[in-house]
Amino acid sequence: MKSMVATLVALAALVAIAIGTGEAESAAACNPSQLTPCAGPTLFGGPVPPACCGALRAQMGCLCGYARSPNYGAYIHSPNARRLFDVCRIPMPRCA
């Protein structure tokens, strides 16, 4: 339970970072609560709920901000995150 709380805090921080680095209109779409369905599959594997795929699609404009974060980039680049993108049929973000 403690690690899940830490994960949710980390996801919220990811969105805060993305909001700080993105344009105003794309940052407005960043919402940490939308990433909650992806927390379990990202950290522990297991089935990917459809809500996670929808959240990833909705957050596409935020993902490069997450990936650039020195504190949270590992979540986007992890094997489990790559699996989420594959399962959801979403291309991995290509960030500069």
Side-chain angles (χ1 to χ4, degrees):
M1 182 67 174
K2 202 175 208 182
S3 66
M4 186 58 80
V5 171
T7 299
L8 293 176
V9 169
L11 290 173
L14 285 173
V15 170
I17 290 167
I19 289 172
T21 60
E23 295 179 9
E25 57 273 358
S26 65
C30 296
N31 184 342
S33 66
Q34 289 182 359
L35 297 174
T36 303
C38 301
T42 300
L43 292 175
F44 311 112
V48 179
C52 174
C53 295
L56 285 175
R57 284 184 184 92
Q59 299 283 309
M60 286 302 290
C62 304
L63 296 178
C64 283
Y66 305 158
R68 282 187 213 100
S69 167
N71 295 324
Y72 306 111
Y75 290 110
I76 296 294
H77 299 294
S78 73
N80 282 338
R82 291 181 189 279
R83 185 180 65 83
L84 293 181
F85 288 101
D86 288 343
V87 168
C88 294
R89 296 186 179 133
I90 298 171
M92 283 293 293
R94 296 180 191 257
C95 307

Coordinates of all heavy atoms in Angstrom, one line a residue:
M1 N 0.8 -1.2 0.0 CA 0.0 0.0 0.0 C 0.9 1.3 0.0 O 0.6 2.2 -0.7 CB -0.9 0.0 1.2 CG -1.9 1.1 1.3 SD -3.0 1.0 -0.1 CE -4.1 2.4 0.4
K2 N 2.0 1.2 0.8 CA 2.8 2.4 0.9 C 3.5 2.7 -0.5 O 3.6 3.8 -0.9 CB 3.9 2.1 1.9 CG 4.6 3.3 2.5 CD 5.5 2.8 3.6 CE 5.7 3.9 4.6 NZ 6.7 3.5 5.6
S3 N 3.8 1.6 -1.3 CA 4.4 1.9 -2.6 C 3.4 2.4 -3.6 O 3.8 3.2 -4.4 CB 5.1 0.6 -3.1 OG 4.1 -0.4 -3.4
M4 N 2.2 2.0 -3.4 CA 1.1 2.5 -4.3 C 0.9 4.0 -4.1 O 0.7 4.8 -5.0 CB -0.2 1.8 -4.1 CG -1.2 2.2 -5.1 SD -0.8 2.0 -6.9 CE -1.1 0.3 -7.1
V5 N 0.9 4.4 -2.8 CA 0.8 5.8 -2.5 C 2.0 6.6 -3.1 O 1.8 7.7 -3.6 CB 0.7 6.0 -1.0 CG1 0.8 7.5 -0.6 CG2 -0.6 5.5 -0.4
A6 N 3.2 6.0 -2.9 CA 4.4 6.7 -3.5 C 4.3 6.8 -5.0 O 4.7 7.8 -5.6 CB 5.6 5.9 -3.1
T7 N 3.7 5.8 -5.6 CA 3.5 5.8 -7.1 C 2.6 6.9 -7.5 O 2.8 7.6 -8.4 CB 3.0 4.5 -7.6 OG1 3.9 3.5 -7.2 CG2 2.8 4.5 -9.1
L8 N 1.5 7.0 -6.8 CA 0.5 8.1 -7.1 C 1.1 9.5 -6.9 O 0.8 10.4 -7.7 CB -0.8 7.9 -6.3 CG -1.6 6.6 -6.6 CD1 -2.8 6.5 -5.6 CD2 -2.1 6.6 -8.0
V9 N 1.9 9.6 -5.9 CA 2.6 10.9 -5.7 C 3.5 11.2 -6.8 O 3.6 12.3 -7.3 CB 3.3 10.9 -4.3 CG1 4.2 12.1 -4.2 CG2 2.3 10.9 -3.2
A10 N 4.3 10.1 -7.2 CA 5.2 10.3 -8.3 C 4.5 10.6 -9.6 O 4.9 11.5 -10.4 CB 6.0 9.0 -8.5
L11 N 3.3 10.0 -9.9 CA 2.6 10.3 -11.1 C 2.1 11.8 -11.1 O 2.1 12.5 -12.1 CB 1.4 9.3 -11.3 CG 1.8 7.9 -11.6 CD1 0.6 7.0 -11.6 CD2 2.5 7.9 -13.0
A12 N 1.6 12.2 -9.9 CA 1.2 13.6 -9.8 C 2.3 14.5 -10.0 O 2.2 15.6 -10.7 CB 0.6 13.8 -8.4
A13 N 3.5 14.2 -9.5 CA 4.7 15.0 -9.8 C 5.1 15.1 -11.2 O 5.5 16.1 -11.8 CB 5.9 14.6 -8.9
L14 N 4.9 13.9 -11.9 CA 5.2 13.9 -13.4 C 4.3 14.9 -14.1 O 4.8 15.6 -15.0 CB 4.9 12.5 -13.9 CG 5.9 11.4 -13.6 CD1 5.3 10.0 -14.1 CD2 7.2 11.7 -14.3
V15 N 3.1 14.9 -13.8 CA 2.1 15.8 -14.4 C 2.5 17.3 -14.1 O 2.5 18.1 -15.0 CB 0.7 15.5 -14.1 CG1 -0.2 16.6 -14.5 CG2 0.3 14.2 -14.6
A16 N 2.9 17.5 -12.9 CA 3.3 18.9 -12.5 C 4.5 19.3 -13.3 O 4.6 20.5 -13.8 CB 3.6 19.0 -11.0
I17 N 5.5 18.4 -13.5 CA 6.6 18.7 -14.4 C 6.2 19.0 -15.8 O 6.7 19.9 -16.5 CB 7.7 17.6 -14.3 CG1 8.3 17.5 -12.9 CG2 8.7 17.7 -15.4 CD1 9.1 16.3 -12.6
A18 N 5.3 18.1 -16.3 CA 4.9 18.3 -17.7 C 4.1 19.6 -17.9 O 4.3 20.3 -18.9 CB 4.0 17.1 -18.1
I19 N 3.4 20.0 -16.9 CA 2.7 21.3 -17.0 C 3.7 22.4 -17.1 O 3.5 23.4 -17.8 CB 1.7 21.4 -15.9 CG1 0.5 20.5 -16.1 CG2 1.2 22.9 -15.7 CD1 -0.5 20.4 -14.9
G20 N 4.7 22.3 -16.3 CA 5.7 23.3 -16.3 C 6.6 23.4 -17.6 O 7.1 24.4 -17.9
T21 N 6.6 22.3 -18.3 CA 7.5 22.3 -19.5 C 6.7 22.4 -20.8 O 7.3 22.7 -21.9 CB 8.3 21.0 -19.6 OG1 7.5 19.9 -19.6 CG2 9.3 20.9 -18.4
G22 N 5.4 22.2 -20.8 CA 4.6 22.2 -22.0 C 4.0 23.6 -22.3 O 4.1 24.5 -21.6
E23 N 3.3 23.6 -23.5 CA 2.6 24.9 -23.8 C 1.3 24.9 -23.0 O 0.8 23.9 -22.5 CB 2.3 24.8 -25.3 CG 3.5 24.9 -26.2 CD 3.1 24.9 -27.6 OE1 1.9 25.0 -28.0 OE2 4.0 24.7 -28.5
A24 N 0.8 26.1 -22.8 CA -0.4 26.3 -22.0 C -1.5 25.4 -22.4 O -2.2 24.8 -21.6 CB -0.8 27.7 -21.9
E25 N -1.8 25.3 -23.7 CA -3.0 24.6 -24.1 C -2.8 23.1 -23.9 O -3.7 22.3 -23.6 CB -3.5 24.9 -25.5 CG -2.5 24.7 -26.6 CD -1.6 26.0 -26.8 OE1 -1.8 27.0 -26.1 OE2 -0.7 25.9 -27.6
S26 N -1.6 22.6 -24.2 CA -1.4 21.1 -24.0 C -1.2 20.8 -22.5 O -1.6 19.7 -22.1 CB -0.1 20.7 -24.8 OG 1.0 21.3 -24.3
A27 N -0.7 21.7 -21.7 CA -0.5 21.5 -20.3 C -1.9 21.4 -19.6 O -2.0 20.7 -18.7 CB 0.3 22.6 -19.7
A28 N -2.8 22.1 -20.1 CA -4.2 22.1 -19.5 C -4.7 20.7 -19.6 O -5.6 20.3 -18.8 CB -5.1 23.1 -20.2
A29 N -4.3 19.9 -20.6 CA -4.8 18.5 -20.7 C -4.2 17.5 -19.8 O -4.7 16.4 -19.6 CB -4.7 18.1 -22.2
C30 N -3.0 17.9 -19.2 CA -2.3 17.0 -18.2 C -3.1 16.9 -16.9 O -3.4 17.9 -16.3 CB -0.9 17.5 -18.0 SG 0.1 17.5 -19.5
N31 N -3.5 15.7 -16.6 CA -4.2 15.5 -15.4 C -3.7 14.2 -14.7 O -3.9 13.1 -15.2 CB -5.7 15.3 -15.8 CG -6.6 15.2 -14.6 OD1 -6.2 14.9 -13.5 ND2 -7.9 15.4 -14.8
P32 N -3.1 14.3 -13.5 CA -2.5 13.2 -12.9 C -3.5 12.1 -12.5 O -3.2 10.9 -12.5 CB -1.9 13.7 -11.6 CG -2.5 15.1 -11.4 CD -3.0 15.6 -12.7
S33 N -4.8 12.4 -12.3 CA -5.7 11.4 -11.9 C -6.0 10.5 -13.1 O -6.5 9.4 -12.9 CB -7.0 12.0 -11.4 OG -7.7 12.8 -12.4
Q34 N -5.8 10.9 -14.3 CA -6.0 10.1 -15.5 C -5.0 9.0 -15.6 O -5.2 8.0 -16.2 CB -6.0 10.9 -16.8 CG -7.2 11.8 -16.9 CD -7.1 12.6 -18.2 OE1 -6.2 12.5 -19.0 NE2 -8.1 13.4 -18.5
L35 N -3.8 9.1 -14.9 CA -2.8 8.1 -15.0 C -2.9 7.0 -14.0 O -2.2 6.0 -14.0 CB -1.4 8.8 -14.8 CG -1.0 9.8 -15.9 CD1 0.2 10.5 -15.6 CD2 -0.9 9.1 -17.3
T36 N -3.8 7.2 -13.0 CA -4.0 6.2 -12.0 C -4.2 4.8 -12.5 O -3.7 3.8 -12.0 CB -5.1 6.6 -11.0 OG1 -4.8 7.9 -10.5 CG2 -5.3 5.6 -9.9
P37 N -5.0 4.5 -13.5 CA -5.2 3.2 -14.0 C -4.0 2.5 -14.5 O -3.9 1.3 -14.7 CB -6.3 3.3 -15.2 CG -6.9 4.6 -14.9 CD -5.9 5.5 -14.3
C38 N -2.9 3.3 -14.8 CA -1.7 2.7 -15.4 C -0.7 2.4 -14.3 O 0.4 1.8 -14.6 CB -1.1 3.7 -16.4 SG -2.1 4.1 -17.8
A39 N -0.9 2.9 -13.1 CA 0.1 2.7 -12.0 C 0.5 1.3 -11.7 O 1.6 0.9 -11.7 CB -0.4 3.4 -10.7
G40 N -0.5 0.5 -11.5 CA -0.3 -1.0 -11.2 C 0.4 -1.7 -12.3 O 1.5 -2.3 -12.1
P41 N -0.1 -1.6 -13.5 CA 0.6 -2.3 -14.6 C 2.0 -1.8 -14.9 O 2.9 -2.5 -15.3 CB -0.3 -2.1 -15.8 CG -1.6 -1.7 -15.3 CD -1.4 -1.1 -13.9
T42 N 2.2 -0.5 -14.6 CA 3.6 0.1 -14.9 C 4.6 -0.5 -13.8 O 5.7 -0.8 -14.2 CB 3.5 1.6 -14.8 OG1 2.7 2.1 -15.8 CG2 4.9 2.2 -15.1
L43 N 4.2 -0.5 -12.6 CA 5.1 -0.9 -11.5 C 5.2 -2.4 -11.4 O 6.2 -2.9 -11.1 CB 4.6 -0.3 -10.2 CG 4.8 1.2 -10.1 CD1 4.2 1.7 -8.8 CD2 6.2 1.6 -10.2
F44 N 4.1 -3.1 -11.5 CA 4.0 -4.5 -11.2 C 3.7 -5.5 -12.3 O 3.7 -6.7 -12.1 CB 3.0 -4.8 -10.0 CG 3.2 -3.8 -8.9 CD1 2.2 -2.8 -8.6 CD2 4.3 -3.8 -8.1 CE1 2.4 -1.9 -7.6 CE2 4.4 -2.9 -7.0 CZ 3.5 -2.0 -6.8
G45 N 3.4 -5.0 -13.5 CA 3.0 -5.8 -14.6 C 1.5 -6.1 -14.5 O 0.7 -5.4 -13.8
G46 N 1.1 -7.2 -15.0 CA -0.3 -7.6 -15.0 C -1.1 -7.1 -16.1 O -0.6 -6.4 -17.0
P47 N -2.4 -7.3 -16.1 CA -3.3 -6.9 -17.1 C -3.4 -5.3 -17.2 O -3.3 -4.6 -16.2 CB -4.7 -7.5 -16.8 CG -4.6 -7.8 -15.4 CD -3.2 -8.0 -15.0
V48 N -3.5 -4.9 -18.4 CA -3.7 -3.4 -18.7 C -5.1 -3.1 -18.9 O -5.7 -3.5 -19.8 CB -2.8 -3.0 -19.9 CG1 -3.0 -1.5 -20.2 CG2 -1.4 -3.4 -19.8
P49 N -5.7 -2.3 -18.0 CA -7.1 -2.0 -18.1 C -7.4 -1.0 -19.3 O -6.5 -0.2 -19.6 CB -7.5 -1.4 -16.8 CG -6.2 -0.9 -16.2 CD -5.2 -1.7 -16.8
P50 N -8.5 -1.1 -19.9 CA -8.8 -0.2 -21.0 C -8.7 1.3 -20.6 O -8.3 2.1 -21.4 CB -10.3 -0.5 -21.4 CG -10.4 -1.9 -21.0 CD -9.6 -2.1 -19.7
A51 N -9.0 1.6 -19.3 CA -8.9 3.0 -18.8 C -7.5 3.5 -18.9 O -7.3 4.7 -19.1 CB -9.4 3.0 -17.4
C52 N -6.5 2.6 -18.7 CA -5.1 3.0 -18.9 C -4.8 3.4 -20.3 O -4.2 4.4 -20.5 CB -4.2 1.8 -18.4 SG -2.5 2.2 -18.7
C53 N -5.3 2.6 -21.3 CA -5.0 2.9 -22.7 C -5.7 4.3 -23.0 O -5.0 5.1 -23.7 CB -5.6 1.9 -23.6 SG -4.7 0.3 -23.4
G54 N -6.8 4.5 -22.5 CA -7.5 5.8 -22.7 C -6.7 7.0 -22.1 O -6.6 8.0 -22.7
A55 N -6.2 6.7 -20.9 CA -5.4 7.7 -20.2 C -4.1 8.0 -21.0 O -3.7 9.2 -21.1 CB -5.1 7.3 -18.8
L56 N -3.5 7.0 -21.5 CA -2.2 7.2 -22.2 C -2.5 8.0 -23.5 O -1.8 9.0 -23.8 CB -1.6 5.9 -22.6 CG -0.9 5.2 -21.5 CD1 -0.4 3.8 -22.0 CD2 0.3 6.0 -21.0
R57 N -3.6 7.7 -24.2 CA -4.0 8.5 -25.4 C -4.3 10.0 -25.0 O -3.8 10.9 -25.7 CB -5.2 7.9 -26.1 CG -4.8 6.6 -26.8 CD -6.0 6.1 -27.6 NE -5.6 4.8 -28.2 CZ -5.8 3.6 -27.7 NH1 -6.4 3.5 -26.5 NH2 -5.4 2.5 -28.3
A58 N -5.0 10.2 -23.9 CA -5.3 11.5 -23.5 C -4.1 12.3 -23.0 O -4.0 13.5 -23.2 CB -6.3 11.5 -22.4
Q59 N -3.0 11.6 -22.6 CA -1.8 12.2 -22.0 C -0.7 12.3 -23.0 O 0.4 12.7 -22.7 CB -1.4 11.5 -20.8 CG -2.4 11.4 -19.7 CD -2.4 12.7 -18.9 OE1 -1.4 13.2 -18.5 NE2 -3.6 13.3 -18.7
M60 N -0.9 11.9 -24.3 CA 0.2 11.9 -25.2 C 1.0 13.2 -25.3 O 2.3 13.1 -25.4 CB -0.3 11.6 -26.7 CG -0.8 10.1 -26.9 SD 0.5 8.9 -26.6 CE 1.6 9.2 -27.9
G61 N 0.4 14.3 -25.2 CA 1.1 15.6 -25.2 C 2.0 15.8 -23.9 O 2.8 16.6 -23.9
C62 N 1.7 15.0 -22.9 CA 2.5 15.1 -21.6 C 3.6 14.2 -21.5 O 4.5 14.4 -20.7 CB 1.5 14.9 -20.5 SG 0.1 16.0 -20.5
L63 N 3.7 13.1 -22.3 CA 4.6 12.0 -22.1 C 6.0 12.4 -22.2 O 6.9 11.9 -21.5 CB 4.2 10.8 -23.0 CG 2.9 10.2 -22.7 CD1 2.6 9.1 -23.7 CD2 2.8 9.7 -21.3
C64 N 6.4 13.3 -23.1 CA 7.8 13.7 -23.3 C 8.2 14.5 -22.1 O 9.4 14.3 -21.7 CB 8.0 14.5 -24.6 SG 8.0 13.4 -26.0
G65 N 7.4 15.2 -21.5 CA 7.7 15.9 -20.3 C 8.0 15.0 -19.2 O 9.0 15.1 -18.4
Y66 N 7.2 13.9 -19.1 CA 7.5 12.9 -18.1 C 8.8 12.2 -18.4 O 9.6 11.9 -17.5 CB 6.4 11.8 -18.1 CG 5.0 12.3 -17.9 CD1 3.9 11.5 -18.4 CD2 4.7 13.5 -17.4 CE1 2.6 11.9 -18.2 CE2 3.4 13.9 -17.2 CZ 2.3 13.2 -17.7 OH 1.0 13.6 -17.5
A67 N 9.0 11.8 -19.6 CA 10.2 11.1 -20.0 C 11.5 11.9 -19.7 O 12.6 11.3 -19.4 CB 10.2 10.7 -21.5
R68 N 11.4 13.2 -19.8 CA 12.6 14.1 -19.6 C 12.9 14.3 -18.1 O 14.0 14.7 -17.8 CB 12.4 15.5 -20.2 CG 12.6 15.5 -21.7 CD 12.5 17.0 -22.2 NE 11.9 17.0 -23.5 CZ 10.7 17.3 -23.8 NH1 9.8 17.6 -22.9 NH2 10.3 17.3 -25.0
S69 N 12.0 14.0 -17.3 CA 12.2 14.2 -15.8 C 13.3 13.3 -15.3 O 13.2 12.0 -15.4 CB 10.9 13.9 -15.1 OG 11.2 13.8 -13.7
P70 N 14.3 13.8 -14.6 CA 15.3 12.9 -14.1 C 14.8 12.1 -12.9 O 15.3 11.0 -12.7 CB 16.4 13.9 -13.6 CG 15.7 15.2 -13.4 CD 14.6 15.2 -14.4
N71 N 13.7 12.5 -12.3 CA 13.2 11.7 -11.2 C 12.2 10.7 -11.7 O 12.0 9.6 -11.0 CB 12.5 12.6 -10.2 CG 13.4 13.6 -9.5 OD1 14.5 13.2 -9.2 ND2 13.0 14.8 -9.3
Y72 N 11.5 10.9 -12.8 CA 10.4 10.0 -13.2 C 10.6 9.4 -14.6 O 9.7 8.7 -15.0 CB 9.1 10.8 -13.1 CG 8.9 11.3 -11.7 CD1 9.0 12.7 -11.5 CD2 8.8 10.5 -10.6 CE1 8.9 13.2 -10.2 CE2 8.7 11.0 -9.3 CZ 8.7 12.4 -9.1 OH 8.6 12.9 -7.9
G73 N 11.6 9.8 -15.3 CA 11.7 9.3 -16.7 C 11.8 7.8 -16.8 O 11.4 7.2 -17.8
A74 N 12.3 7.2 -15.7 CA 12.5 5.7 -15.7 C 11.1 5.0 -15.8 O 11.0 3.9 -16.4 CB 13.2 5.3 -14.4
Y75 N 10.0 5.7 -15.4 CA 8.7 5.1 -15.5 C 8.3 4.9 -17.0 O 7.8 3.9 -17.4 CB 7.6 5.9 -14.8 CG 7.8 5.8 -13.3 CD1 8.2 7.0 -12.6 CD2 7.5 4.7 -12.6 CE1 8.3 6.9 -11.2 CE2 7.6 4.6 -11.2 CZ 8.0 5.8 -10.5 OH 8.1 5.7 -9.1
I76 N 8.6 6.0 -17.8 CA 8.2 5.9 -19.2 C 9.1 5.0 -19.9 O 8.7 4.4 -20.9 CB 8.3 7.4 -19.8 CG1 7.3 8.3 -19.1 CG2 8.2 7.4 -21.3 CD1 5.9 8.0 -19.4
H77 N 10.4 4.9 -19.5 CA 11.3 4.0 -20.2 C 11.4 2.6 -19.7 O 12.2 1.8 -20.2 CB 12.7 4.7 -20.2 CG 12.8 6.0 -20.8 ND1 12.6 6.2 -22.2 CD2 12.9 7.2 -20.3 CE1 12.6 7.5 -22.5 NE2 12.9 8.1 -21.4
S78 N 10.6 2.2 -18.7 CA 10.6 0.9 -18.1 C 10.1 -0.1 -19.1 O 9.2 0.2 -19.9 CB 9.9 0.9 -16.8 OG 8.5 0.9 -17.1
P79 N 10.5 -1.4 -18.9 CA 9.9 -2.5 -19.7 C 8.4 -2.6 -19.6 O 7.7 -2.8 -20.6 CB 10.6 -3.7 -19.2 CG 11.9 -3.2 -18.6 CD 11.6 -1.9 -18.1
N80 N 7.9 -2.4 -18.4 CA 6.4 -2.5 -18.2 C 5.7 -1.3 -18.9 O 4.6 -1.5 -19.4 CB 6.1 -2.5 -16.7 CG 6.3 -3.8 -16.0 OD1 6.3 -4.8 -16.7 ND2 6.5 -3.8 -14.7
A81 N 6.3 -0.2 -18.9 CA 5.7 1.0 -19.7 C 5.7 0.7 -21.2 O 4.7 0.9 -21.8 CB 6.4 2.3 -19.4
R82 N 6.8 0.1 -21.7 CA 6.8 -0.3 -23.1 C 5.7 -1.3 -23.4 O 5.1 -1.2 -24.4 CB 8.2 -0.8 -23.4 CG 9.2 0.2 -23.4 CD 10.6 -0.4 -23.8 NE 11.7 0.6 -23.6 CZ 12.0 1.6 -24.4 NH1 11.3 1.7 -25.5 NH2 13.0 2.4 -24.1
R83 N 5.5 -2.2 -22.5 CA 4.4 -3.2 -22.7 C 3.1 -2.5 -22.7 O 2.2 -2.9 -23.5 CB 4.5 -4.2 -21.5 CG 3.5 -5.4 -21.7 CD 3.6 -6.4 -20.6 NE 3.2 -5.8 -19.3 CZ 1.9 -5.7 -18.9 NH1 0.9 -6.1 -19.6 NH2 1.6 -5.1 -17.7
L84 N 2.8 -1.5 -21.9 CA 1.6 -0.8 -21.9 C 1.3 -0.2 -23.3 O 0.2 -0.3 -23.8 CB 1.6 0.4 -20.9 CG 1.6 0.1 -19.4 CD1 1.6 1.3 -18.6 CD2 0.5 -0.8 -19.0
F85 N 2.4 0.5 -23.8 CA 2.2 1.1 -25.1 C 1.9 0.0 -26.2 O 1.1 0.3 -27.1 CB 3.5 1.9 -25.5 CG 3.6 3.2 -24.7 CD1 4.5 3.2 -23.7 CD2 2.9 4.3 -25.1 CE1 4.6 4.4 -22.9 CE2 3.0 5.5 -24.3 CZ 3.9 5.5 -23.3
D86 N 2.6 -1.1 -26.1 CA 2.3 -2.2 -27.1 C 0.9 -2.7 -26.9 O 0.2 -2.9 -27.9 CB 3.3 -3.4 -26.8 CG 4.7 -3.0 -27.3 OD1 4.9 -2.1 -28.1 OD2 5.6 -3.8 -26.9
V87 N 0.5 -3.0 -25.7 CA -0.9 -3.5 -25.5 C -1.9 -2.5 -25.9 O -3.0 -2.9 -26.5 CB -1.1 -3.9 -24.0 CG1 -2.6 -4.1 -23.7 CG2 -0.2 -5.1 -23.6
C88 N -1.7 -1.2 -25.7 CA -2.6 -0.2 -26.1 C -2.5 0.2 -27.5 O -3.3 1.0 -28.0 CB -2.4 1.0 -25.2 SG -2.8 0.7 -23.4
R89 N -1.5 -0.4 -28.2 CA -1.3 0.0 -29.6 C -1.0 1.5 -29.8 O -1.6 2.1 -30.7 CB -2.4 -0.5 -30.5 CG -2.5 -2.0 -30.5 CD -3.6 -2.5 -31.5 NE -3.6 -3.9 -31.5 CZ -4.7 -4.6 -31.4 NH1 -5.9 -4.0 -31.4 NH2 -4.7 -5.9 -31.4
I90 N -0.2 2.0 -28.9 CA 0.2 3.4 -29.0 C 1.7 3.4 -29.2 O 2.4 2.7 -28.5 CB -0.2 4.1 -27.6 CG1 -1.7 4.1 -27.4 CG2 0.3 5.5 -27.6 CD1 -2.1 4.5 -26.0
P91 N 2.2 4.2 -30.1 CA 3.6 4.3 -30.3 C 4.3 4.9 -29.1 O 3.8 5.9 -28.5 CB 3.8 5.2 -31.5 CG 2.6 6.0 -31.6 CD 1.5 5.1 -31.0
M92 N 5.5 4.4 -28.8 CA 6.3 5.0 -27.7 C 6.6 6.4 -28.1 O 6.8 6.7 -29.2 CB 7.6 4.3 -27.5 CG 7.5 3.0 -26.8 SD 7.1 3.1 -25.0 CE 8.5 4.0 -24.4
P93 N 6.6 7.4 -27.1 CA 6.9 8.8 -27.5 C 8.3 8.9 -28.0 O 9.2 8.3 -27.4 CB 6.7 9.5 -26.2 CG 6.5 8.5 -25.1 CD 6.2 7.2 -25.7
R94 N 8.5 9.7 -29.0 CA 9.8 10.0 -29.5 C 10.1 11.4 -29.1 O 9.6 12.3 -29.7 CB 9.9 9.8 -31.0 CG 9.7 8.4 -31.4 CD 9.7 8.3 -32.9 NE 9.3 6.9 -33.3 CZ 10.1 6.0 -33.7 NH1 11.4 6.1 -33.7 NH2 9.6 4.8 -34.1
C95 N 10.9 11.6 -28.1 CA 11.2 12.9 -27.5 C 12.6 13.3 -27.9 O 13.5 12.5 -27.9 CB 11.1 12.8 -26.0 SG 9.5 12.1 -25.5
A96 N 12.7 14.6 -28.2 CA 14.0 15.2 -28.5 C 14.8 15.4 -27.3 O 14.4 15.5 -26.2 CB 13.8 16.5 -29.3

